[in-house]
C-alpha cells in the first residue's frame, strides 16, 4: 500500500516537475522578451523623439492643425511626445503579446494569431483617420479663406460643413476597414448624405425662396447702378 | 527651346536690341503696342539690329496673327528718317507654367541666344505706350551703362495699391533703393542681366507667374547691378475687372516678395537707410481718367476677415496687433481707419510667418487679402480730397514707417 502511495506521489511529482521543467524555459523566454521588448521600445521612443524634434515636428503639427486637435482633446503633451509615446506603447503591446505567445499556451495561441491578422486593419484605419482629419482641416481652412474673400456671410458655416463631411467620410472608411457593421455604416452614410442633400434642396427651394429673391434683386439693382465694382488697378 | 524658334534665332544671327512683349488674348491693344515699339526703334535706334519677340500664352483671339500682321507701311508719316535695318518679328508660344514669368523666360532665352546688348519688355495691354518709351527704357542701358531701368509712371492716385502699400515700401526698406515702380511691368535691362536671370532656377515657382516683376527688380538691386528709373508718362491699361485676378495676383506677388526676403536676408539685415536711384526722363503732369473705388465693400471684406479668419491670424500676429484689428473691426464705415503702423506690423508679421512656415503658405497669403483691403479702404478714405502730390507724400510717409520699424522685423525674424 505504502509502495502504491509512494509511486503515486512520486509519479505525480515527476509529472509536475516535468511540466515545470517544460514551462520554465518558456517563462524565461517570456521574461527575456519582455525585458528586451521594453528596452527596444524605450530606445525607439527616444530616437523617434529626437528625430521628430530635429525635423521640427511640433511646428509642422501646429501648421497642420494637429496641435489644435490634441489641445481640443485635452492633451497637454506636445505632438512629438505623443507620437513617440504612441510607438512606445505599440511596441510594448507587441512585446506583451510575443511574451504571452512564448508561454505556448493553447488558449492564447488562437487569440494572438487573430490579433496579428487584425493588426494591419487597425493600422490602416488609424492612418485613414489621421489623413482624413488633416485633409478636413486643410480643406476647411481653404474654403473658409476663399469664402471670406468672396464676401460670403456664411463662410464659417460652409467651412464647417466641408470639414465635418470629410471627417465623417474618413470615419466611415475607417470603420469599414475595421470590418465593424460594414453594411450598416455604408447604408447610414448614404442615408445621412442623401438626407443632407435633400434637406438643402428643400431649404433652398422652399424655405430660401424669399432669401434667394432678395439676393438676386439686390445683385441686379447693384449691377444696374454700377455699384460694387472697383476700377483701381491693384498692381 | 523649340526647334522652329531656334532656327528663327539662328537665321537672324545676333542682334543689338530685343523687345519682349508677353501676351495672352490682347488683340484689342497689342497692335498699338507693336506699332509704338516699331516706331520707337526706327526713330531712336535706326542703326541698330532689333527684334520684336512676342511670347504668347496660347491666345485664342488672334493676338499672334495680329502681331504678325501689324507693320508701319510708311515711316515718313511718323519719322524724319528711315531705319537702316528692318525690324525682325518673332511670334512664339512659351512653354512651362502658364504665366507672365514663363513668357519672360522665353524672352531672356532669346536675348541670350541673340547675344543682344539691351532688352526691354512692355505689357501688351497698354493703351498709353508711345515710341519714346523705347528711348527711355533702352538708352540708359546702351549709352549710360545702366543694367536695369525701372519705369516711373504718372498714375491715378488710387492705382497700384499693391505697389503703394506693400511692394514699394517693403522693397525700399529692405534693400535701401527707392525704386518707385518695382512691379511696373515695363523694364529695360542689359543682355548680361538677361543671361544672369537665366542662371536662376525659379521657373516652377510664383516667379513664373505674377512674381516675375518683383523678382527681376530685387535681383537687379540685391546683386549690385546699376539700376535707374525712367519717367514714361501715363500708364493706361486695357479696361478689365481688376477684382477678378486680385486673389492669385496678390498671392503670387507677395509670395515672391516674402520668398526673396528669405533669399537675401543676409543683405537686408545689414542694409541701413534707403537712397534715391538715378531718375531719367522729363516729368510732366498727366490728366488721368477718374476711377471708382468701393470702400464699403472693402471694409465689409475686412470685417468678415476679423470675424472668421482670426483663428489663422492669431498664429501669425502678436496679441496686441490682434486686439488692435478687432477694435478697428468694430468701427463704423464712416469712422473706419487702418493706421500705417498697424499695417506695417501686419506686413512684417506675415513675412516672418511665411519664413517660419507656421501656417500653410497659400492660406497665409490669401488670408492677408481682407487685411490688405482694409488698409486700401482706409487709404482711399483718408485721401479722397487729396491731390496726387499729397497722396505721393502719404506713400512716402508709409515708406518711412516701414524703415523705422525695420528693427522690429529683424528682431522678430531672428527670435520668431
Amino acid at each position: 500500500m505504502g509502495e502504491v502511495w509512494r509511486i503515486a506521489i512520486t509519479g505525480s511529482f515527476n509529472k509536475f516537475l516535468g511540466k515545470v521543467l517544460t514551462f520554465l524555459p518558456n517563462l524565461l523566454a517570456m521574461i527575456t522578451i519582455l525585458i528586451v521588448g521594453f528596452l527596444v521600445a524605450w530606445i525607439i521612443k527616444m530616437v523617434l523623439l529626437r528625430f521628430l524634434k530635429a525635423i521640427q515636428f511640433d511646428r509642422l503639427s501646429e501648421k497642420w492643425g494637429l496641435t489644435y486637435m490634441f489641445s481640443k482633446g485635452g492633451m497637454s503633451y506636445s505632438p512629438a511626445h505623443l507620437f513617440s509615446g504612441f510607438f512606445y506603447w505599440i511596441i510594448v503591446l507587441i512585446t506583451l503579446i510575443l511574451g504571452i505567445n512564448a508561454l505556448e499556451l493553447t488558449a492564447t495561441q488562437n487569440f494572438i494569431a487573430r490579433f496579428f491578422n487584425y493588426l494591419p486593419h487597425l493600422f490602416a484605419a488609424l492612418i485613414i483617420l489621421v489623413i482624413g482629419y488633416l485633409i478636413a482641416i486643410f480643406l476647411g481652412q481653404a474654403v473658409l479663406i476663399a469664402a471670406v474673400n468672396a464676401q460670403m456671410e456664411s463662410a464659417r458655416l460652409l467651412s464647417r460643413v466641408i470639414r465635418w463631411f470629410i471627417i465623417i467620410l474618413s470615419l466611415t472608411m475607417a470603420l469599414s476597414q475595421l470590418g465593424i457593421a460594414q453594411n450598416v455604416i455604408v447604408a447610414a452614410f448614404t442615408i445621412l448624405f442623401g438626407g443632407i442633400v435633400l434637406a438643402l434642396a428643400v431649404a433652398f427651394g422652399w424655405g430660401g425662396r424669399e432669401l434667394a429673391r432678395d439676393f438676386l434683386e439686390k445683385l441686379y439693382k447693384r449691377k444696374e447702378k454700377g455699384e460694387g465694382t472697383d476700377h483701381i488697378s491693384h498692381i | 527651346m523649340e526647334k522652329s524658334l531656334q532656327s528663327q534665332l539662328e537665321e537672324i544671327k545676333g542682334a543689338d536690341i530685343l523687345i519682349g512683349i508677353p501676351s495672352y488674348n490682347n488683340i484689342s491693344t497689342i497692335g498699338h503696342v507693336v506699332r509704338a515699339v516699331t516706331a520707337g526703334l526706327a526713330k531712336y535706334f535706326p542703326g541698330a539690329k532689333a527684334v520684336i519677340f512676342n511670347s504668347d500664352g496660347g491666345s485664342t483671339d488672334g493676338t499672334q496673327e495680329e502681331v504678325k500682321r501689324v507693320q508701319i507701311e510708311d515711316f515718313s508719316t511718323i519719322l524724319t528718317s528711315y531705319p537702316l535695318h528692318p525690324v525682325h518679328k518673332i511670334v512664339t508660344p512659351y512653354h512651362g507654367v502658364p504665366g507672365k514669368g514663363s513668357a519672360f523666360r522665353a524672352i531672356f532665352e532669346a536675348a541670350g541666344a541673340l547675344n543682344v546688348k539691351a532688352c526691354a519688355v512692355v505689357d501688351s495691354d497698354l493703351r498709353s505706350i508711345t515710341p519714346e518709351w523705347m528711348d527711355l527704357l533702352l538708352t540708359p542701358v546702351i549709352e549710360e551703362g545702366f543694367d536695369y531701368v525701372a519705369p516711373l509712371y504718372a498714375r491715378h492716385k488710387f492705382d497700384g495699391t499693391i505697389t503703394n502699400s506693400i511692394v514699394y515700401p517693403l522693397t525700399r526698406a529692405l534693400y535701401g533703393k527707392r525704386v518707385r515702380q518695382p512691379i511696373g511691368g515695363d523694364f529695360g535691362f542689359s543682355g548680361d542681366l538677361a543671361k544672369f536671370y537665366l542662371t536662376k532656377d525659379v521657373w516652377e515657382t510664383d516667379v513664373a507667374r505674377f512674381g516675375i516683376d518683383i523678382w527681376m527688380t530685387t535681383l537687379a538691386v540685391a546683386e549690385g547691378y546699376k539700376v535707374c528709373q525712367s519717367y514714361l508718362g501715363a500708364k493706361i491699361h486695357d479696361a478689365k475687372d481688376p477684382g477678378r485676378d486680385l486673389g492669385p495676383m496678390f498671392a503670387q506677388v507677395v509670395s515672391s516678395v516674402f520668398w526673396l526676403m528669405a533669399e537675401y536676408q543676409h543683405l537686408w539685415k545689414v542694409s541701413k537707410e534707403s537712397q534715391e536711384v538715378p531718375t531719367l526722363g522729363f516729368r510732366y503732369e498727366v490728366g488721368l481718367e477718374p476711377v471708382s473705388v468701393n470702400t464699403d465693400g472693402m471694409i465689409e471684406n475686412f470685417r468678415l476677415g476679423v470675424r472668421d479668419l482670426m483663428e489663422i491670424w492669431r498664429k501669425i500676429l502678436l496679441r496686441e496687433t490682434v486686439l488692435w484689428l478687432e477694435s478697428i473691426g468694430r468701427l463704423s464705415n464712416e469712422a473706419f481707419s487702418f493706421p500705417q503702423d498697424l499695417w506695417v506690423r501686419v506686413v512684417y508679421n506675415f513675412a516672418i510667418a511665411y519664413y517660419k512656415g507656421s501656417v500653410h503658405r497659400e492660406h497665409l497669403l490669401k488670408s492677408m487679402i481682407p487685411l490688405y483691403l482694409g488698409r486700401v479702404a482706409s487709404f482711399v478714405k483718408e485721401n479722397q480730397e487729396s491731390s496726387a502730390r499729397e497722396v505721393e507724400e502719404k506713400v512716402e510717409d508709409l515708406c518711412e514707417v516701414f524703415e523705422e520699424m525695420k528693427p522690429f522685423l529683424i528682431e522678430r525674424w531672428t527670435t520668431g
Side-chain angles (χ1 to χ4, degrees), chain A residues 56 59-60 62-65 68 137-139 141-142 144-145 147-156 163 222 226-235, chain B residues 155 158-163 183 242 246 249 253 291-294 297-298 300-301 304-305 307-309 312 356-360 363 366-367 369-370 372:
Chain A
Q56 297 189 315
R59 185 172 285 170
L60 288 172
E62 204 180 318
K63 187 172 151 183
W64 296 336
Y68 177 73
I137 294 285
F138 182 83
L139 287 183
Q141 193 162 286
L144 178 70
I145 295 167
V148 167
N149 286 336
Q151 294 201 31
M152 288 176 71
E153 279 291 331
S154 50
R156 199 182 287 178
R163 192 177 291 188
R222 202 159 62 174
E227 284 174 6
T229 49
D230 294 318
H231 293 107
I232 55 168
S233 167
H234 289 274
I235 208 160
Chain B
R155 301 184 76 168
F158 297 141
D159 253 356
T161 40
I162 295 178
T163 304
I183 53 173
L246 175 64
M249 192 164 69
V253 171
V291 297
S292 67
V293 189
N294 176 15
M298 289 178 179
E300 195 48 46
N301 207 324
L304 270 178
R307 196 190 71 184
D308 293 337
L309 300 181
I312 302 166
K356 304 277 179 197
S358 50
V359 176
H360 184 270
H363 291 183
K366 290 197 169 156
S367 76
I369 292 173
Y372 159 75

Side-chain angles (χ1 to χ4, degrees), chain A residues 74-104:
Chain A
M75 292 184 200
S76 55
Y77 294 107
S78 72
H81 276 99
L82 276 172
F83 269 82
S84 53
F86 171 76
F87 278 96
Y88 172 80
W89 284 109
I90 289 284
I91 296 165
V92 165
L93 185 70
I94 292 168
T95 304
L96 283 173
I97 290 163
L98 287 173
I100 295 166
N101 194 35
L103 294 175
E104 291 184 359

Side-chain angles (χ1 to χ4, degrees), chain A:
Chain A
M1 190 66 187
E3 187 61 19
V4 173
W5 270 108
R6 194 183 61 80
I7 289 166
I9 287 167
T10 51
S12 152
F13 182 75
N14 284 340
K15 269 186 187 172
F16 171 72
L17 201 65
K19 277 188 180 172
V20 168
L21 285 174
T22 319
F23 183 70
L24 211 57
N26 293 346
L27 187 68
L28 284 172
M30 185 187 87
I31 292 166
T32 313
I33 287 169
L34 288 183
I35 291 169
V36 172
F38 272 88
L39 199 67
V40 168
W42 185 81
I43 291 169
I44 286 178
K45 180 188 163 181
M46 296 315 285
V47 169
L48 195 63
L49 187 63
R50 285 195 172 198
F51 171 73
L52 292 174
K53 287 200 168 173
I55 62 161
Q56 297 189 315
F57 183 72
D58 287 342
R59 185 172 285 170
L60 288 172
S61 304
E62 204 180 318
K63 187 172 151 183
W64 296 336
L66 278 178
T67 311
Y68 177 73
M69 176 181 79
F70 292 147
S71 67
K72 271 204 155 182
M75 292 184 200
S76 55
Y77 294 107
S78 72
H81 276 99
L82 276 172
F83 269 82
S84 53
F86 171 76
F87 278 96
Y88 172 80
W89 284 109
I90 289 284
I91 296 165
V92 165
L93 185 70
I94 292 168
T95 304
L96 283 173
I97 290 163
L98 287 173
I100 295 166
N101 194 35
L103 294 175
E104 291 184 359
L105 301 173
T106 326
T108 59
Q109 297 279 325
N110 285 339
F111 166 75
I112 287 162
R114 279 168 60 195
F115 175 80
F116 274 101
N117 282 338
Y118 197 64
L119 210 55
H121 295 281
L122 200 67
F123 270 107
L126 206 66
I127 288 166
I128 288 169
L129 275 181
V130 171
I131 291 175
Y133 183 80
L134 292 177
I135 292 172
I137 294 285
F138 182 83
L139 287 183
Q141 193 162 286
V143 167
L144 178 70
I145 295 167
V148 167
N149 286 336
Q151 294 201 31
M152 288 176 71
E153 279 291 331
S154 50
R156 199 182 287 178
L157 176 72
L158 191 65
S159 155
R160 280 183 184 159
V161 167
I162 296 289
R163 192 177 291 188
W164 278 105
F165 176 75
I166 296 166
I167 288 173
I168 291 169
L169 184 69
S170 56
L171 202 67
T172 313
M173 286 166 71
L175 287 173
S176 171
Q177 186 61 233
L178 291 173
I180 300 170
Q182 277 168 317
N183 293 337
V184 176
I185 285 166
V186 172
F189 182 77
T190 314
I191 291 165
L192 183 72
F193 185 61
I196 290 169
V197 172
L198 186 69
L200 285 174
V202 170
F204 280 109
W206 182 255
R209 274 190 317 177
E210 299 297 316
L211 191 73
R213 197 178 62 191
D214 284 354
F215 175 74
L216 289 172
E217 268 179 10
K218 273 184 194 168
L219 192 74
Y220 180 68
K221 280 177 186 165
R222 202 159 62 174
K223 269 197 171 174
E224 259 191 346
K225 287 182 191 169
E227 284 174 6
T229 49
D230 294 318
H231 293 107
I232 55 168
S233 167
H234 289 274
I235 208 160

Side-chain angles (χ1 to χ4, degrees), chain B residues 396-416:
Chain B
E396 289 300 303
D397 286 348
L398 179 66
C399 291
E400 278 166 25
V401 180
F402 265 91
E403 288 185 29
E404 280 162 19
M405 288 179 66
K406 198 174 159 187
F408 165 83
L409 169 71
I410 294 170
E411 191 203 328
R412 295 259 308 142
W413 187 277
T414 317
T415 61

Side-chain angles (χ1 to χ4, degrees), chain A residues 148, chain B residues 296-309 313 328-336 370 374:
Chain A
V148 167
Chain B
D296 286 348
M298 289 178 179
I299 295 169
E300 195 48 46
N301 207 324
F302 169 76
R303 283 207 196 97
L304 270 178
V306 171
R307 196 190 71 184
D308 293 337
L309 300 181
W313 292 351
I328 65 169
R330 287 191 288 269
L331 296 173
S332 66
N333 283 14
E334 289 70 35
F336 185 81

Side-chain angles (χ1 to χ4, degrees), chain B residues 122 339 366 383:
Chain B
V122 288
K366 290 197 169 156
N383 295 294

